[in-house]
Amino acid sequence: KAGVTQTPRYLIKTRGQQVTLSCSPISGHRSVSWYQQTPGQGLQFLFEYFSETQRNKGNFPGRFSGRQFSNSRSEMNVSTLELGDSALYLCASSLDDSPLHFGNGTRLTVT
Amino acid sequence: GEDVEQSLFLSVREGDSSVINCTYTDSSSTYLYWYKQEPGAGLQLLTYIFSNMDMKQDQRLTVLLNKKDKHLSLRIADTQTGDSAIYFCAESPSYGGSQGNLIFGKGTKLSVKP
């Protein structure tokens, strides 16, 4: 079974631009969660989607948004990028209420 | 608010046992997890324990849970150089009603010396 797939692996953007990251969950998994990982703040929860509905949201500004499609694939979008948005963005999927399985992440660098 | 604390570094010799410790604050957490992260990779689920258990063993891994002290530990027997990585402890908070929102510790970097 293929794992969680995130694209792209690396991304370089300029301040003020916007970015879209993509995540394909493990086949059959309907829940997708997103996390931001930085050296200073560690792993922080962004949001969780289940059956195309946002189920939980972390403490991030409205510039961070996401969505989930009917095939459970998910995207997250960050608008008006700031230098502090540079991070590893991790997507994870699960069967409902089972442990999270993570992808390898998208490394975003904002210059 | 909820918080998960871990020591930042641990160094052991190959063949020894490693014990990584974690404390958490949400006494109503249903599950507690251990994840491993190698350089340039995502998080790999190692093991997890339900809050009504006090021990779980899985091959070289032993998880101990002291719910009274809110203390979780991961013991790796016969540690190998391939076990060198960052280990994260995580709890699922009692609010939210799902396992998708985890609170992670800052991670313990395990270095294994040959």
Side-chain angles (χ1 to χ4, degrees):
Chain A
K1 212 177 205 181
V4 177
T5 304
Q6 292 188 247
T7 56
R9 283 299 310 275
Y10 302 94
L11 210 44
I12 300 175
K13 290 285 187 179
T14 304
R15 248 184 326 178
Q17 288 186 313
Q18 71 149 16
V19 68
T20 299
L21 312 182
S22 182
C23 172
S24 293
I26 292 171
S27 177
H29 286 192
R30 294 195 296 163
S31 173
V32 173
S33 296
W34 288 90
Y35 287 79
Q36 181 196 65
Q37 185 178 27
T38 59
Q41 299 299 314
L43 283 150
Q44 294 186 283
F45 170 73
L46 280 156
F47 23 65
E48 179 194 9
Y49 287 87
F50 180 79
S51 291
E52 301 178 68
T53 302
Q54 188 179 85
R55 188 154 67 171
N56 276 307
K57 188 178 189 310
N59 190 24
F60 278 81
R63 300 185 297 108
F64 291 81
S65 63
R67 58 178 176 166
Q68 186 180 33
F69 302 96
S70 58
N71 62 358
S72 294
R73 194 177 68 84
S74 177
E75 288 180 347
M76 68 162 279
N77 185 276
V78 189
S79 62
T80 320
L81 283 165
E82 300 176 1
L83 295 178
D85 297 333
S86 294
L88 180 67
Y89 289 88
L90 292 163
C91 170
S93 74
S94 70
L95 291 169
D96 195 22
D97 282 351
S98 67
L100 296 182
H101 296 269
F102 284 82
N104 282 329
T106 294
R107 171 78 58 189
L108 172 65
T109 303
V110 182
T111 63
Chain B
E2 290 77 18
D3 200 11
V4 176
E5 300 277 347
Q6 303 177 238
S7 52
L8 293 182
F9 301 100
L10 177 65
S11 181
V12 300
R13 291 221 171 268
E14 193 173 19
D16 287 350
S17 290
S18 308
V19 180
I20 303 171
N21 294 300
C22 166
T23 57
Y24 61 97
T25 54
D26 186 351
S27 57
S28 300
S29 288
T30 49
Y31 287 96
L32 294 135
Y33 301 87
W34 286 103
Y35 283 88
K36 174 185 179 183
Q37 187 175 37
E38 297 181 73
L43 273 66
Q44 174 194 350
L45 176 67
L46 285 178
T47 187
Y48 60 100
I49 188 167
F50 189 52
S51 58
N52 69 353
M53 298 169 67
D54 51 21
M55 186 180 103
K56 181 179 181 182
Q57 189 150 1
D58 186 358
Q59 299 183 330
R60 291 192 298 126
L61 305 179
T62 302
V63 178
L64 295 178
L65 174 60
N66 181 328
K67 208 171 171 186
K68 174 176 160 288
D69 295 338
K70 296 180 198 163
H71 183 266
L72 184 73
S73 68
L74 174 70
R75 178 176 178 269
I76 306 172
D78 186 25
T79 313
Q80 303 297 307
T81 54
D83 294 324
S84 293
I86 301 176
Y87 291 79
F88 291 93
C89 169
E91 64 170 343
S92 58
S94 52
Y95 58 85
S98 75
Q99 300 300 314
N101 172 11
L102 300 184
I103 309 294
F104 283 88
K106 289 280 198 282
T108 299
K109 185 171 183 179
L110 174 64
S111 298
V112 183
K113 295 180 175 18

